[in-house]
């Protein structure tokens, strides 16, 4: 393996255009062996901000007699030469180095990018947190040489993880990333070279996804739970006995504490379930409210073979219920209580969409990182649930959106036919069908209400925990939010004749259509490209008009700490500044509406081609349909905002 140089910089701030370097630390190493180290303070020619001094311990007095950056150029370049440069979040260091004309042509390696791929379920990826998780004993101190040493140690442990990957997966990651600089390609290539003599394992027939999520045996057959017409009521005294002195909880947990308020709430929930009443309960901290409603809910659901839905506001409470409280309750009851967490489609990985992205290959460094992260995550994941993997930043979340199960055009039949029923979302739905207790969040509960009960299995009994958040959750669930960057991302995904969904459509259809049909499809996609280009220009003017309107409403006042919110009332629509918003949207709408019609025609052409059974065509049909629905939703909601009177 060739030598590598780890570089860490301390600077006066985060912007290379205005800030400058105050300390350099570098470690040249080969695998675990350190060959040399080099460090120096730099006189920045300006005062060091107090918060930087507090963070790093570097003061103005310390750098007063230090050399300038120009004075150490030769020594620094001699130390690094043309070796690969390693850093943690290396784009930051690279921007400062190349701004000063240093190391323009070296390879750059990033432990942040590498860790985000090789440690998909890590909580955080900052240097100190990674060092802790990887049992690196060296401290990350925000001093350049210390942090360069930690970066080297983190790198060696991450490289060990790369070496432990299945060789066929390692080879696929190298192949997918060959054409782009995504921060980890060089490292994976070196790992593959060191294991080049190993045989690759054979792929499974049918599909290429492997891992415990897809290899696990099917759930055993159980009697489905159903709504009941005449439920058997619970015996209030028998239920209360579980939490009384000498009861089942006290027998099972030696440290169990009897709480009268908890028993009182349990009795109230028992009566409400048995008699079909509504109950509003306020329980102070320390009451033990989750056990107070779980015990009667579980006993009632088991006794009547029905389901009870529990809605929470936070993931933390969901985790507490499914990972602690319900297992404790199952142990105390000593009977089969089936419970599951059900989340929205966007929280589950779609294996069909993952396979489609693998076949076409990543189109950006972010796609490459997320795709590699997904494939490594699937080597250990048993859920396919987003909560088990760390998706960082808006760019990665945008890629996840194209890999998640949030594809409204997908159906159980399509999933079973294409992927053999391995989709985590449909498995979760099946688990919910058979569960006595279904735990959801407020957003999913409200989505079920908004769609006429088409999201959750049919239920008659509902417990809303953290109900003081339900108003805010309702506002969020029934609102529409869009930003200019999000619209621009949607347009980039759509692409044109040579890129994106439309470009892939032309490429995939070229072998299936005769010249006349191909010319017609090409004409459609040229029209869509033209309308999308005009819409992109005009939507920018619309957001400018909105910003001008908000500025006008502030009447010269500066934007405060909180976002500026404005309710659009009938009187608002008479203001001159709002008239500009209407005009700007009308112009954008004149491009968007025909674009939607053209996308419908493209989808129709793909639907006819999909009858041939080509998987690529089916995937493209799904992508076009999803893109169309997003733009149609945008059109409907902005049209309502701009022109319809407020209720």
């Amino acid at each position: 393996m060739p030598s590598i140089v780890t570089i860490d910089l301390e600077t006066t701030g985060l912007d290379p255009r205005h800030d400058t370097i105050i300390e350099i630390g570098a470690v040249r190493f080969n695998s675990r062996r350190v060959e040399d180290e080099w460090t120096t303070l730099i006189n920045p020619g300006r005062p060091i901000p107090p918060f930087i001094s507090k963070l790093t311990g570097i003061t103005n007095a310390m750098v007063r007699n230090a050399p300038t950056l120009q004075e150490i150029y030769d020594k620094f370049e001699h130390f690094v030469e043309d070796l690969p440069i390693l850093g943690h979040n290396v784009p930051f260091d690279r921007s400062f180095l190349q701004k000063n004309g240093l190391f323009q042509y070296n390879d750059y390696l990033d432990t942040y990018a590498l860790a985000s791929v090789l440690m998909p379920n890590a909580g955080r990826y900052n240097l100190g947190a990674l060092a802790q998780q990887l049992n690196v004993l060296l401290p990350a101190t925000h001093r350049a040489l210390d942090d360069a040493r930690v970066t080297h140690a983190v790198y060696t442990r991450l490289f060990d993880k790369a070496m432990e990957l299945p060789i066929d997966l390692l080879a696929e990651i190298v192949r997918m990333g060959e054409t782009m600089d995504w921060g980890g390609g060089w490292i994976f290539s070196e790992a593959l070279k060191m294991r080049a003599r190993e045989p690759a394992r054979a792929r499974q027939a049918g599909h290429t996804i492997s891992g415990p999520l897809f290899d696990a045996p099917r759930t055993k057959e159980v009697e489905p739970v159903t709504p009941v017409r005449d439920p058997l009521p619970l015996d209030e005294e028998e239920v209360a006995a579980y939490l009384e002195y000498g009861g089942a909880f006290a027998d099972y947990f030696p440290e169990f504490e009897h709480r009268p308020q908890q028993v009182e709430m349990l009795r109230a929930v028992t009566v409400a379930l048995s008699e079909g009443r509504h109950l509003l309960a306020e329980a102070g901290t320390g009451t033990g409210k989750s056990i107070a409603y779980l015990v009667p809910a579980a006993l009632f659901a088991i006794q009547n073979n029905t389901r009870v839905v529990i809605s929470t506001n936070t993931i933390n409470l969901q985790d507490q219920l499914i990972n602690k409280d319900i297992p404790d309750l199952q142990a105390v009851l000593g009977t089969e209580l089936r419970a599951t967490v059900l989340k929205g489609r966007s929280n589950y990985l779609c294996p069909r969409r993952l396979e489609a992205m693998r076949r076409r290959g990543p189109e950006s460094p972010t796609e490459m990182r997320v795709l590699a992260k997904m494939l490594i995550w699937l080597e250990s994941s048993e859920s396919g649930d987003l909560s088990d993997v760390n998706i960082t930043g808006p760019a990665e979340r945008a890629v996840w959106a194209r890999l998640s199960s949030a594809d409204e055009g997908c159906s159980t039949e399509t999933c079973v036919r294409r992927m053999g029923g391995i989709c985590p979302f449909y498995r979760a739905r099946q688990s919910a069908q058979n569960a006595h207790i279904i735990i959801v969040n407020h957003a999913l509960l409200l989505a079920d209400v908004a769609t006429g009960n088409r999201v959750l299995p049919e239920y008659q009994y509902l417990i809303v925990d953290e109900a003081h958040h339900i108003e805010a959750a309702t506002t969020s669930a029934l609102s529409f939010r869009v930003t200019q960057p999000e619209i621009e991302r949607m347009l980039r995904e759509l692409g044109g004749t040579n890129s994106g969904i439309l470009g892939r459509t032309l490429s995939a259809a070229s072998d299936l259509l005769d010249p006349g049909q191909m010319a017609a499809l090409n004409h459609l996609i040229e029209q869509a490209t033209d309308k999308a280009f005009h819409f992109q220009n005009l939507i920018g003017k619309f957001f400018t008009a909105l910003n001008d309107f908000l500025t006008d409403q502030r009447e010269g006042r500066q934007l405060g700490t909180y976002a500026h919110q404005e309710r659009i009332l009938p009187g608002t629509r008479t203001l001159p500044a709002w008239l500009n918003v209407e005009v700007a949207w009308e112009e954008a709408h004149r491009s968007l509406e025909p674009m939607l019609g053209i996308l419908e025609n493209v989808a129709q052409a793909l639907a006819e081609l999909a009858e041939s059974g080509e998987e690529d065509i089916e995937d493209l049909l799904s992508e076009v349909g999803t893109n169309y629905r997003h733009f149609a939703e945008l059109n409907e909601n902005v049209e309502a905002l701009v022109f319809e009177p407020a209720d």
Side-chain angles (χ1 to χ4, degrees):
M1 178 185 292
S3 295
I4 300 173
V5 177
T6 297
I7 292 177
D8 187 82
L9 307 178
E10 301 302 331
T11 63
T12 58
L14 302 178
D15 188 346
R17 296 171 299 177
H18 306 112
D19 293 303
T20 189
I21 299 169
I22 58 175
E23 188 178 37
I24 301 171
V27 177
R28 187 167 64 236
F29 66 92
N30 192 306
S31 188
R32 285 175 170 76
R33 181 172 60 86
V34 174
E35 297 176 334
D36 201 359
E37 295 182 342
W38 186 82
T39 187
T40 183
L41 289 167
I42 300 292
N43 186 333
R46 70 184 72 175
I48 300 173
F51 76 93
I52 294 293
S53 291
K54 184 176 181 180
L55 178 69
T56 64
I58 301 173
T59 64
N60 290 309
M62 293 169 63
V63 300
R64 186 172 296 120
N65 297 318
T68 65
L69 187 61
Q70 289 74 19
E71 290 172 340
I72 56 89
Y73 266 19
D74 290 343
K75 289 182 180 178
F76 193 19
E77 288 183 321
H78 179 72
F79 185 87
V80 176
E81 298 178 326
D82 61 351
L83 296 175
I85 293 173
L86 174 72
H88 191 73
N89 190 20
V90 81
F92 172 82
D93 304 284
R94 183 178 190 169
S95 64
F96 277 90
L97 294 171
Q98 294 192 342
K99 165 201 165 185
N100 290 284
L102 290 164
F103 314 122
Q104 302 285 342
Y105 305 108
N106 296 60
D107 287 324
Y108 282 84
L109 320 175
D110 191 356
T111 45
Y112 184 98
L114 190 62
S116 74
V117 169
L118 286 166
M119 301 173 64
N121 51 5
R124 292 182 297 162
Y125 294 121
N126 65 62
L127 188 59
L130 281 177
Q132 264 191 327
Q133 293 173 75
L134 293 168
N135 297 316
V136 172
L137 301 180
L138 298 171
T141 63
H142 289 292
R143 290 300 300 268
L145 185 58
D146 284 347
D147 288 0
R149 289 167 174 162
V150 175
T151 302
H152 166 224
V154 166
Y155 167 83
T156 58
R157 284 161 173 76
L158 291 173
F159 191 83
D160 289 343
K161 288 183 175 291
M163 290 289 289
E164 293 167 1
L165 292 175
I167 191 168
D168 57 333
L169 176 55
L170 188 58
E172 181 178 4
I173 292 173
V174 170
R175 177 186 56 76
M176 288 192 303
E178 282 177 339
T179 60
M180 63 186 68
D181 179 10
W182 60 277
W186 188 92
I187 298 164
F188 278 92
S189 295
E190 288 300 312
L192 183 61
K193 288 176 187 176
M194 294 180 68
R195 298 179 57 192
R197 295 183 181 180
E198 295 180 27
R201 67 187 180 188
R203 291 286 191 184
Q204 297 180 16
H207 60 80
T208 59
I209 301 179
S210 63
L213 173 63
F214 307 115
D215 297 340
R218 294 291 184 269
T219 307
K220 65 179 181 179
E221 292 293 326
V222 295
E223 182 184 359
V225 297
T226 56
V228 288
R229 183 183 298 274
D230 299 308
L232 296 174
L234 295 171
D235 185 304
E236 183 182 338
E237 297 304 322
E238 287 184 6
V239 177
Y242 279 91
L243 298 183
E244 296 285 6
Y245 291 107
F249 272 81
D251 288 344
Y252 196 86
F253 299 104
E255 303 299 321
F256 178 76
E257 176 187 353
H258 175 264
R259 286 172 275 192
Q261 297 91 341
Q262 186 181 43
V263 176
E264 182 183 0
M265 179 177 169
L266 174 142
R267 287 177 177 274
V269 174
T270 300
V271 171
L273 288 171
S274 296
E275 298 181 4
R277 297 182 182 177
H278 293 97
L279 170 68
L280 178 64
E282 184 173 0
T285 303
T287 301
K289 60 181 173 59
S290 57
I291 291 297
Y293 64 67
L294 276 175
V295 172
L299 292 171
F300 184 82
I302 292 171
Q303 179 171 290
N304 292 286
N305 192 38
T306 192
R307 62 177 65 94
V308 177
V309 173
I310 298 174
S311 180
T312 75
N313 186 62
T314 61
I315 293 174
N316 288 342
L317 181 53
Q318 285 189 349
D319 289 343
Q320 175 193 316
L321 292 174
I322 199 67
N323 295 322
K324 182 182 183 300
D325 293 342
I326 287 177
D328 287 347
L329 182 56
Q330 288 169 326
V332 170
L333 295 180
T335 186
E336 184 183 23
L337 170 65
R338 300 191 296 273
T340 190
V341 174
L342 183 61
K343 301 179 180 179
R345 280 178 171 271
S346 62
N347 290 280
Y348 298 96
L349 177 71
C350 173
R352 176 179 57 80
R353 299 175 97 180
L354 176 65
E355 285 290 81
M357 186 176 287
R358 287 175 79 181
R359 283 197 302 273
R360 70 165 168 83
E363 297 179 337
S364 69
T366 304
E367 272 197 7
M368 177 61 219
R369 284 194 298 273
V370 174
L371 188 52
K373 179 186 295 192
M374 293 296 104
L375 297 176
I376 291 173
W377 173 51
L378 289 176
E379 290 294 314
S380 58
S381 174
E382 296 184 1
S383 70
D385 185 337
L386 176 60
S387 64
D388 293 341
V389 64
N390 190 346
I391 300 294
T392 60
E396 285 200 1
R397 285 194 288 273
V399 177
W400 169 265
R402 300 198 296 276
L403 292 174
S404 77
S405 294
D407 178 2
E408 298 87 345
C410 188
S411 64
T412 305
E413 294 74 19
T414 301
C415 182
V416 171
R417 176 173 58 83
R418 290 284 302 279
M419 303 306 299
I422 63 174
C423 175
F425 172 69
Y426 282 113
R427 286 189 175 182
R429 285 291 299 268
Q430 187 60 45
S431 178
Q433 289 286 351
N434 300 327
H436 298 114
I437 303 289
I438 304 175
I439 301 170
V440 302
N441 63 16
H442 294 345
L444 191 65
L445 176 70
L446 292 163
D448 185 62
V449 173
T451 58
N453 304 111
R454 289 186 295 168
V455 175
L456 301 179
E458 186 179 356
Y459 64 92
Q460 295 169 295
Y461 304 96
L462 170 66
I463 296 172
V464 180
D465 201 341
E466 301 179 310
H468 53 290
H469 292 289
I470 200 74
E471 180 182 358
T474 303
T475 301
S476 177
L478 301 180
S479 64
F480 176 77
R481 180 181 182 275
V482 70
T483 64
Q484 186 174 353
E486 187 176 356
I487 294 173
E488 290 171 349
R489 175 187 60 77
M490 289 160 56
L491 288 164
R492 284 195 301 273
E493 289 175 9
L494 182 63
T497 52
N498 298 311
S499 65
I501 298 169
L502 296 178
R504 293 199 299 276
T505 297
L506 279 178
S507 178
S510 60
D511 295 331
L512 301 173
L513 296 176
D514 62 42
Q517 293 171 319
M518 192 64 197
L521 180 61
N522 190 73
H523 179 64
L524 272 179
I525 288 179
E526 285 179 348
Q527 286 182 307
T529 304
D530 181 61
K531 295 300 181 185
F533 175 77
H534 287 296
F535 178 66
Q536 183 168 5
N537 290 331
L538 294 168
I539 199 67
K541 294 180 180 179
F542 170 69
F543 277 98
T544 298
L546 277 177
N547 186 61
D548 291 344
F549 165 75
L550 293 172
T551 302
D552 185 70
Q553 293 302 102
R554 290 197 298 272
E555 299 179 338
R557 297 188 299 273
Q558 292 294 316
L559 188 63
T561 306
Y562 299 100
H564 181 179
Q565 296 185 358
E566 194 74 31
R567 189 176 182 194
I568 309 304
L569 300 170
T572 309
R573 300 173 191 278
T574 65
L575 299 174
W578 187 258
L579 179 61
N580 294 335
V581 172
E582 292 183 353
V583 170
W585 173 248
E586 280 182 338
E587 292 179 353
H589 175 74
R590 280 199 291 269
S591 289
L592 177 56
E593 193 165 38
M595 187 181 87
L596 287 170
I598 296 166
L599 288 180
E600 277 192 285
N601 292 334
V602 172
Q604 180 59 40
L606 285 171
E608 293 171 3
L609 288 175
E611 295 175 3
S612 66
E614 288 281 339
E615 290 189 354
D616 286 346
I617 297 296
E618 291 186 4
D619 292 331
L620 284 167
L621 175 58
S622 173
E623 289 188 69
V624 170
T626 299
N627 198 274
Y628 170 84
R629 283 187 289 273
H630 288 164
F631 279 115
E633 185 181 21
L634 168 72
N635 186 47
E636 178 184 353
N637 284 280
V638 177
E639 192 81 1
L641 167 72
V642 174
F643 293 114
E644 290 185 8
D647 292 332

